[in-house]
C-alpha cells in the first residue's frame, strides 16, 4: 500500500496573483524530506464544436514556452465559482459564443509531481453567437478547424498543449467517426 506523506511544515516561497509556491517538510516511511509545491485555483477547458463540424480553437502566445500555441478555450476558476459556470464564462469570453449544450468530459491533473492544478474538461455544442470580451491582458485569435483536420493535427504531433490533447483523448470517440 502506498503511504501518504505527512506534512510537517509549510513554508511560503512565493505568493502570486495566480500561483502560490511552498516548500513543504514532509515525513514518509519514517524518513523526513521536502517537497516543492505549487497551489493553483483550478481551471476549465472547453472543446467548442460548431454546427458544421468544426472546432473553435484559440491561438495565443505563451510566454513561458516562447511560442504561440493552438489550444481549446480555457481559463482559471474564480473564487467560489463552480467549474461548469467557469467553463460557460470562459467559452463566451474567449470565443464570443455561448454553449447551447455543455457536457463535462472529466478532469485532469496537469502536473501532479509538484502542482495541484485540476483542469475540468467540457464539450460544448449548439453554439450561439454572443459577445467576445477578453481580459485586459489577453490577446488571442479564434481559429476554426474542421474535425478531420483536428484529428490529422493530433496524429501529426502539431498540437502541444496538454489540456487540449487530454480533452480530445477523452472526447475522441464522440467526435471522430471512422
Amino acid at each position: 500500500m502506498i503511504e501518504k506523506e505527512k506534512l510537517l511544515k509549510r513554508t511560503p516561497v512565493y505568493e502570486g496573483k495566480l500561483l502560490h509556491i511552498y516548500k513543504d517538510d514532509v515525513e514518509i516511511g519514517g524518513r523526513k524530506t521536502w517537497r516543492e509545491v505549487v497551489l493553483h485555483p483550478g481551471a476549465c477547458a472547453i472543446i467548442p464544436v460548431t454546427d458544421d463540424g468544426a472546432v473553435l480553437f484559440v491561438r495565443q502566445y505563451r510566454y513561458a514556452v516562447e511560442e504561440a500555441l493552438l489550444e481549446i478555450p480555457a481559463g482559471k476558476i474564480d473564487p467560489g465559482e463552480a467549474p461548469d459556470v467557469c467553463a460557460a464564462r470562459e467559452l463566451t469570453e474567449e470565443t464570443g459564443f455561448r454553449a447551447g449544450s455543455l457536457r463535462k468530459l472529466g478532469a485532469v491533473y496537469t502536473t501532479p509531481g509538484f502542482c495541484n492544478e485540476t483542469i475540468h474538461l467540457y464539450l460544448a455544442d449548439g453554439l450561439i453567437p454572443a459577445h467576445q470580451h477578453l481580459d485586459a491582458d489577453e490577446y488571442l485569435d479564434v481559429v476554426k478547424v474542421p474535425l478531420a483536420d483536428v484529428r490529422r493535427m493530433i496524429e501529426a504531433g502539431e498540437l502541444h498543449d496538454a489540456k487540449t490533447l487530454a480533452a480530445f483523448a477523452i472526447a475522441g470517440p464522440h467526435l471522430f467517426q471512422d
Side-chain angles (χ1 to χ4, degrees), residues 42-46 48 58 60 72-78 81 83-97 102 132-135 138 140:
C44 293
I46 312 95
V58 295
Q60 57 187 328
I72 58 176
K76 81 172 183 58
I77 298 171
D78 288 337
E81 185 177 43
D84 60 329
V85 173
C86 173
R89 176 180 53 76
E90 286 292 339
L91 174 64
T92 302
E93 284 181 8
E94 293 194 356
T95 69
F97 286 89
L102 188 65
Q132 180 188 44
H133 47 98
L134 301 174
D135 293 337
E138 198 168 36
L140 57 83

Side-chain angles (χ1 to χ4, degrees), residues 117-132:
E117 181 184 25
T118 301
I119 296 186
H120 302 268
L121 305 172
Y122 291 84
L123 182 64
D125 57 16
L127 302 180
I128 302 160
H131 176 69
Q132 180 188 44

Side-chain angles (χ1 to χ4, degrees), residues 98-161:
R98 288 186 297 115
S101 171
L102 188 65
R103 183 174 67 202
K104 187 159 185 181
L105 298 169
V108 295
Y109 297 122
T110 59
T111 47
F114 65 88
C115 183
N116 73 337
E117 181 184 25
T118 301
I119 296 186
H120 302 268
L121 305 172
Y122 291 84
L123 182 64
D125 57 16
L127 302 180
I128 302 160
H131 176 69
Q132 180 188 44
H133 47 98
L134 301 174
D135 293 337
D137 62 348
E138 198 168 36
Y139 302 93
L140 57 83
D141 293 321
V142 177
V143 180
K144 185 176 177 181
V145 180
L147 269 170
D149 290 347
V150 173
R151 186 175 195 168
R152 180 199 57 75
M153 293 167 74
I154 291 169
E155 291 170 353
E158 295 174 15
L159 298 176
H160 303 283
D161 176 61

Side-chain angles (χ1 to χ4, degrees), residues 103 105 123 147 170-177:
R103 183 174 67 202
L105 298 169
L123 182 64
L147 269 170
I170 296 168
H174 306 288
L175 295 175
F176 303 121
Q177 311 301 323

Side-chain angles (χ1 to χ4, degrees), residues 4-46:
K4 182 179 176 181
E5 296 178 10
K6 179 181 176 185
L7 175 63
L8 302 173
K9 179 183 175 189
R10 172 162 281 173
T11 305
V13 174
Y14 173 78
E15 294 285 328
K17 184 174 106 175
L18 174 65
L19 303 176
H20 306 288
I21 304 172
Y22 300 93
K23 179 183 176 276
D24 287 355
D25 294 316
V26 300
E27 184 177 321
I28 178 81
R31 297 176 58 194
K32 293 181 181 177
T33 188
W34 55 274
R35 302 284 185 244
E36 295 172 331
V37 179
V38 177
L39 300 184
H40 185 283
C44 293
I46 312 95

